[in-house]
Amino acid sequence: MRIAMIGTGYVGLVSGTCFSEFGIQVTCVDKDARKIELLQQNVMPIYEPGLDELVATNVEHGRLAFTTGLKDAVAGADAVFIAVGTPSRRGDGHADLSYVYAAAEEIADAMTGYTVVVTKSTVPVGTGDEVERIIRARRPDAKFDVVSNPEFLREGSAINDFMRPDRVVIGTESEHARKVMTQLYRVLYLIETPIVFTSRRTSELIKYAGNTFLATKITFINEIADLCEKVGANVHDVAKGIGLDGRIGKKFLHPGPGYGGSCFPKDTLALVKTARDYDAPLRIIETVVAVNDERKRQMAARVVTACGGSVKGKAVAVLGLTFKPNTDDMRDSPAIDIVRALVDAGAVVKAFDPEGMDEAKKLLPDAVQYCADAYATMPDAACLVIITEWNEFRALDLDKVKTLLKAPTVVDLRNVYAPEEMAEMGFAYTSIGRP
Ligand SMILES: NC(=O)c1ccc[n+]([C@@H]2O[C@H](COP(=O)([O-])OP(=O)(O)OC[C@H]3O[C@@H](n4cnc5c(N)ncnc54)[C@H](O)[C@@H]3O)[C@@H](O)[C@H]2O)c1
């Protein structure tokens, strides 16, 4: 079988590469010529563990290729996946579908023979209908079906998530398209992955319902953590105590500085907008959005408090900028709001992140100083702030940290360290939801 993947970002590149690993002939297309040039030289444009080896192997075996030429990639393909970005539309929070619709137009002009057009991008309910309308308008006689197949991979463990997913969701009413999709995911059938076939609109909604539920779970435990601080309880024990209940589950009950990243912030907002449009407001998700926005500001305030009520003119060491470890993705990272607030309050921020600094430079205030390693952020700092829990920040030489900092103050927004140990070592230590 042969497929084209339109959009070679975090989702398109990983999905395309994994499909080629399944034995399918894949052409990944992107309009960003620099990205394609890098990939043709086997240089990854993103950081994702294990991706470079998998790309190299499949390119070598002739199953995976990269191009800017959409037309040739689409002509003759059994299926064409749309994996372009769907960011928040400026001003109103709706998903910006302009990239999806532009791709649909290009696909319409290029496809030959029966083609399954698959939206892998996260798109609001009804987008598949519009993609179908666009293609039909340009090619009244073309034979095609439009299928929804949302992606659930997580950056940082994307390859494993794609190869061994909890489930695959396929939204289509067409028997022909169902057969093609079943063939493409044949390898996952063999390992008994649940495949959920549903209508196209239902499939589109499943993706948003999933992401907003997870964002709600995170926000819930964050608020419980705030309460724990007031009443002298430990949020990790609360999370364990409730998480062992099979109806609740252990995952996504780790408190922190608020959710961020390329999906949850924009997807919660977009679903809220869709629900309002259909006059079925999702008040829970609206509250989640508001609470999470507010939380990021509160995190900066914690740092200010830890520094004695003011950071004006003080150096603050910041570790971790990406929205989570093992990615270089800075989109909507909580670090953006926290660092901005600290800079606004007069702090001299010295930061380090293992993979995110190139992206961070585009998004954080110019005044931020970037350091070569974790310890280089610390000399003379009034406080050390851990925003993202990269493994290398879990085992810092705490004696060294104490000597380097001007005052032994640590604000740990990911609860990487144990409060008792930190107190014993003489640190003024603030974490989330623990006495
Ligand atoms: N990043 C994630 O972890 C993740 C997980 C699940 C779902 N998703 C969803 O997948 C979609 C893609 O996300 P992403 O993070 O991969 O985005 P991304 O921004 O990393 O990649 C999108 C790519 O599409 C390219 N592109 C846009 N229009 C194009 C066109 N007409 N032709 C060719 N290339 C084009 C862009 O140049 C870019 O490289 C989004 O809808 C997102 O919500 C993302």
Side-chain angles (χ1 to χ4, degrees), residues 161-317:
D161 288 348
F162 193 91
M163 303 277 230
R164 277 169 280 277
D166 291 337
R167 74 333 203 161
V168 171
V169 175
I170 297 171
T172 180
E173 281 94 14
S174 148
E175 200 44 47
H176 197 166
R178 185 182 168 127
K179 276 196 189 126
V180 171
M181 295 304 286
T182 304
Q183 266 304 102
L184 289 174
Y185 281 107
R186 203 180 70 85
V187 173
L188 296 187
Y189 269 90
L190 300 179
I191 59 167
E192 295 182 5
T193 306
I195 313 270
V196 180
F197 280 102
T198 176
S199 76
R200 193 164 64 198
R201 285 185 160 234
T202 304
S203 167
E204 289 168 338
L205 189 54
I206 285 172
K207 175 64 190 174
Y208 280 100
N211 270 2
T212 54
F213 186 86
L214 293 172
T216 303
K217 217 173 165 188
I218 294 172
T219 307
F220 172 82
I221 202 66
N222 282 341
E223 285 206 310
I224 293 290
D226 289 348
L227 181 58
C228 285
E229 287 169 18
K230 301 278 187 206
V231 301
N234 184 324
V235 68
H236 290 300
D237 293 341
V238 173
K240 192 173 177 189
I242 62 171
L244 286 167
D245 185 327
R247 292 169 301 176
I248 296 173
K250 288 184 225 167
K251 291 182 180 166
F252 274 72
L253 288 178
H254 193 89
Y259 63 77
S262 56
C263 292
F264 289 177
K266 76 172 176 66
D267 292 348
T268 42
L269 260 188
L271 189 62
V272 160
K273 293 291 172 184
T274 300
R276 286 267 162 199
D277 285 354
Y278 284 88
D279 203 18
L282 291 170
R283 282 169 307 212
I284 291 178
I285 312 303
E286 289 177 5
T287 304
V288 164
V289 171
V291 169
N292 195 64
D293 282 348
E294 172 61 24
R295 184 165 189 83
K296 296 180 206 167
R297 285 189 287 278
Q298 287 166 359
M299 294 300 113
R302 267 176 202 242
V303 177
V304 174
T305 306
C307 291
S310 169
V311 287
K312 202 168 172 41
K314 294 179 182 171
V316 173

Side-chain angles (χ1 to χ4, degrees), residues 6-12 29-32 35 70 83-86 99 103 106 120-122 151-153 155 207 262-263 266-267 331:
I6 313 302
T8 307
Y10 289 87
V11 164
V29 182
D30 207 287
K31 60 180 183 185
D32 181 341
K35 226 176 230 187
L70 181 141
V84 300
T86 49
Y99 302 103
E106 288 182 74
K120 199 162 242 330
S121 299
T122 301
E151 183 48 55
F152 298 96
L153 62 77
E155 290 171 19
K207 175 64 190 174
S262 56
C263 292
K266 76 172 176 66
D267 292 348
R331 286 177 283 185

